[in-house]
C-alpha cells in the first residue's frame, strides 16, 4: 500500500513543486516549479532524495502535515520554527517523523517560502512530466487544502549528513541585474535612468506569477500596445501603471506589455524570498 501524507493545516498557499515544465512555452505552457530552486534542491539532498523530487512549497504561514509511515523530513528555505507533535526539532536538517505524528512548519521568521522535503519525495500524478502546481494555467495538483492527501515515494537514499549546511540568507534588500531589451526602446531615456537609479519596493500584490514593485512609474516613449509576443522567465514587463513586474515561474508565456529587460534566472531565488516592502534596485548589465 502506498504511504500517504495528510494535510492537517494547509496554510495561506502551499503547493507541490519540483523542477517544473521547461520546454513547453511553444504550447502555451509555462515553466512552474519551485521559486527558490536552490532551497528545494538542498532540502532534497538532505532528505536523501534526487534533486528533482517533488516537495511542498509554503507561503509565509507554513503548513502542518501527517505521514502515515515513519519518514525523514527536512524543512528549509525561509527559516521557521519546526515541531513534531508540538516538540521543537531542527530547521534545515533531517528530522525523524514517526508514523502518525504531525510535522509543522510554523510561519516564516524571515523570507516568504519554506520547503518541506520527505524521503522518497511526493508522488501526485505528473502532468507533462512534472508534478508542479502552476497557478496561472491550473496544471498539476491544486493548492493544498486541509484534509488533502498526497502519495509518498519509497526512500532510496540515506539522509544527508553535514556539520554545516550553506542555507542562503533571506534578502534584506534585492539587487536585481537586468539585461535591457527587447523593448527598452519603447521607453524614454529618462525612464531608463529611473530604472537604473530609483528605489523600488516589493509590492504585497506579488505572487508566483510575478514580483510586483511599488515605486516611480517608467515613462513610455511609444504609446499603444504590442501584439502579444513570447515572454521568458525573469522578463521585466511594464504594465500601464508604469511599475516594473518581474516574471516568476508561473508567468504567462505571451504578453502585450513591453518588456524593458530580463533578470537572469540565477537572481530569481532571492526575489522569491523577498517579503512585501523589501527594497529593490535594478542594475543594468550587459
Amino acid at each position: 500500500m502506498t504511504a500517504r501524507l495528510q494535510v492537517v493545516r494547509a496554510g495561506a498557499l502551499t503547493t507541490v513543486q519540483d523542477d517544473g515544465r521547461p520546454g513547453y512555452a511553444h504550447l502555451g505552457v509555462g515553466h512552474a516549479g519551485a521559486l527558490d530552486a536552490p532551497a528545494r534542491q538542498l532540502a532534497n539532498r538532505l532528505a536523501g532524495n534526487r534533486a528533482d523530487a517533488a516537495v511542498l512549497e509554503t507561503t509565509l504561514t507554513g503548513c502542518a502535515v501527517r505521514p502515515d509511515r515513519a519518514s525523514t523530513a527536512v524543512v528549509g528555505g525561509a527559516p521557521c520554527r519546526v515541531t513534531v507533535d508540538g516538540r521543537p526539532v531542527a530547521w534545515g536538517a533531517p528530522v525523524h517523523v514517526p508514523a502518525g505524528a504531525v510535522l509543522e512548519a510554523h510561519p516564516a521568521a524571515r523570507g516568504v517560502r519554506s520547503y518541506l522535503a520527505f524521503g522518497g519525495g511526493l508522488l501526485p500524478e505528473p502532468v507533462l512530466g512534472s508534478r508542479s502546481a502552476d497557478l496561472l494555467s491550473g496544471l498539476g495538483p491544486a493548492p493544498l487544502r486541509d484534509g488533502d492527501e498526497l502519495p509518498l515515494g519509497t526512500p532510496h537514499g540515506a539522509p544527508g549528513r553535514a556539520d554545516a549546511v550553506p542555507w542562503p540568507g533571506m534578502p534584506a534588500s534585492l539587487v536585481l541585474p537586468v539585461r535591457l531589451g527587447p523593448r527598452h526602446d519603447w521607453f524614454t531615456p529618462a525612464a531608463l535612468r529611473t530604472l537604473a537609479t530609483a528605489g523600488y519596493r516589493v509590492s504585497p500584490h506579488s505572487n508566483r506569477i510575478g514580483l510586483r514593485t511599488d515605486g516611480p512609474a517608467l515613462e513610455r516613449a511609444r504609446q499603444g500596445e504590442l501584439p502579444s509576443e513570447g515572454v521568458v522567465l525573469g522578463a521585466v514587463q511594464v504594465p500601464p501603471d508604469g511599475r516594473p513586474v518581474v516574471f516568476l515561474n508561473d508567468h504567462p508565456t505571451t504578453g502585450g506589455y513591453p518588456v524593458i529587460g530580463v533578470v537572469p534566472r540565477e537572481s530569481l531565488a532571492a526575489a522569491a524570498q523577498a517579503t512585501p516592502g523589501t527594497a529593490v534596485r535594478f542594475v543594468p548589465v550587459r
Side-chain angles (χ1 to χ4, degrees), residues 178-257:
V178 57
R179 296 188 178 98
L180 294 180
R183 300 297 179 185
H184 61 291
D185 57 346
W186 277 56
F187 297 88
T188 65
L192 297 180
R193 287 194 297 273
T194 296
L195 180 71
T197 60
Y200 289 87
R201 293 198 175 271
V202 175
S203 165
H205 300 294
S206 301
N207 53 29
R208 281 187 50 87
I209 296 170
L211 180 93
R212 295 183 175 273
T213 62
D214 292 325
L218 300 179
E219 182 185 14
R220 295 265 293 264
R222 297 175 59 177
Q223 301 306 312
E225 299 302 337
L226 291 158
S228 286
E229 58 185 4
V231 290
V232 299
L233 184 65
V236 183
Q237 192 182 69
V238 183
D241 68 4
R243 292 168 179 83
V245 178
V246 182
F247 276 162
L248 301 178
N249 293 44
D250 288 2
H251 71 85
T253 57
T254 62
Y257 300 138

Side-chain angles (χ1 to χ4, degrees), residues 2 12 39 67 85 95 101 120-121 124 139 161 189 197 212 246:
T2 302
D85 277 349
V95 298
L139 292 176
R161 300 294 179 191
T197 60
R212 295 183 175 273
V246 182

Side-chain angles (χ1 to χ4, degrees), residues 44 63 129 190 227 231 239:
N44 271 327
C63 72
V231 290

Side-chain angles (χ1 to χ4, degrees), residues 8-175:
V8 176
R9 180 178 68 85
L13 176 64
T14 301
T15 58
V16 177
Q17 299 295 338
D18 57 15
D19 277 344
R21 300 181 181 84
Y24 291 101
H26 64 295
L27 300 177
V29 175
H31 188 285
L35 294 189
D36 187 345
R40 180 188 62 78
Q41 291 163 1
L42 182 51
N44 271 327
R45 180 178 177 184
L46 291 172
N49 294 337
R50 292 187 297 268
D52 61 353
V55 304
L56 296 181
E57 177 184 273
T58 70
T59 308
L60 291 173
T61 62
C63 72
V65 293
R66 178 189 289 116
D68 66 4
R69 71 153 189 238
S71 301
T72 296
V74 175
V75 180
C80 63
R81 190 164 70 93
V82 184
T83 58
V84 173
D85 277 349
R87 296 186 297 275
V89 295
W91 169 88
V95 298
H96 176 71
V97 184
V102 175
L103 171 72
E104 183 161 13
H106 293 260
R110 300 184 302 280
V112 178
R113 295 173 171 93
S114 297
Y115 292 88
L116 283 68
F118 296 85
L122 303 173
L123 299 180
E125 193 67 27
V127 178
L128 294 177
S130 171
R131 306 181 196 277
S132 289
D134 185 329
L135 301 188
L136 185 64
S137 71
L139 292 176
L144 299 191
R145 298 176 298 180
D146 294 356
D148 283 352
E149 292 188 348
L150 294 165
L152 281 169
T154 301
H156 53 78
R161 300 294 179 191
D163 293 331
V165 178
W167 291 102
M170 297 297 104
S173 62
L174 273 182
V175 178

